[in-house]
């Protein structure tokens, strides 16, 4: 008899930067939430991460609360950078350094 591989929870970190696109952010999280619901188990978890751990305002003016700062975020299997049209203007070396270390 063949056993199914054990399922471990995949943790996603969503790094949000000022003026990030809310539509893309929610479009990335909702399939993870739905997969957990349909599977009746936690296949995926996620943390919202900001540079300093504080809330970040999206391009539509809605503030999103972060779970962790880049200094506190750990044990992430995947990281998604959520930005917007002004991403090329970001010059925060702490964020770039953190992404390089990952």
């Amino acid at each position: 008899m063949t056993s199914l591989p054990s399922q471990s929870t995949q943790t996603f970190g969503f790094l949000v930067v000022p003026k990030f696109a809310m539509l893309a952010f929610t479009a990335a999280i909702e399939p993870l939430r739905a997969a957990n619901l349909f599977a009746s188990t936690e296949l995926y978890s996620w943390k919202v991460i900001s540079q300093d751990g504080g809330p970040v305002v999206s391009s539509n003016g809605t503030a999103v609360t972060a779970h962790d700062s880049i200094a506190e975020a750990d044990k992430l299997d995947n990281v998604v950078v959520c930005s917007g049209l002004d991403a090329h203007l970001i010059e925060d070396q702490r964020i770039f350094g953190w992404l390089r270390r990952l």
Side-chain angles (χ1 to χ4, degrees):
M1 178 173 168
T2 304
S3 64
L4 295 173
S6 76
Q7 295 286 335
S8 62
T9 302
Q10 289 267 327
T11 302
F12 283 77
F14 288 90
L15 174 64
V16 291
V17 297
K19 297 184 180 179
F20 70 95
M22 181 64 78
L23 181 60
F25 173 71
T26 56
I29 291 177
E30 281 302 304
L32 303 177
R33 184 196 62 78
N36 289 345
L37 178 69
F38 294 135
S40 298
T41 189
E42 187 178 52
L43 299 173
Y44 305 104
S45 67
W46 53 90
K47 293 180 179 184
V48 178
I49 302 163
S50 69
Q51 188 275 329
D52 63 0
V56 178
V57 178
S58 70
S59 61
N60 70 9
T62 303
V64 172
T65 303
H67 296 107
D68 288 323
S69 70
I70 57 175
E72 300 166 328
D74 62 349
K75 299 183 182 179
L76 302 172
D77 298 304
N78 305 282
V79 173
V80 177
V81 178
C82 301
S83 64
L85 296 176
D86 294 335
H88 65 287
L89 301 176
I90 296 170
E91 295 181 355
D92 191 321
Q93 294 306 311
R94 292 166 292 194
I95 289 176
F96 293 143
W98 181 70
L99 290 170
R100 279 191 296 273
R101 284 189 299 278
L102 293 176

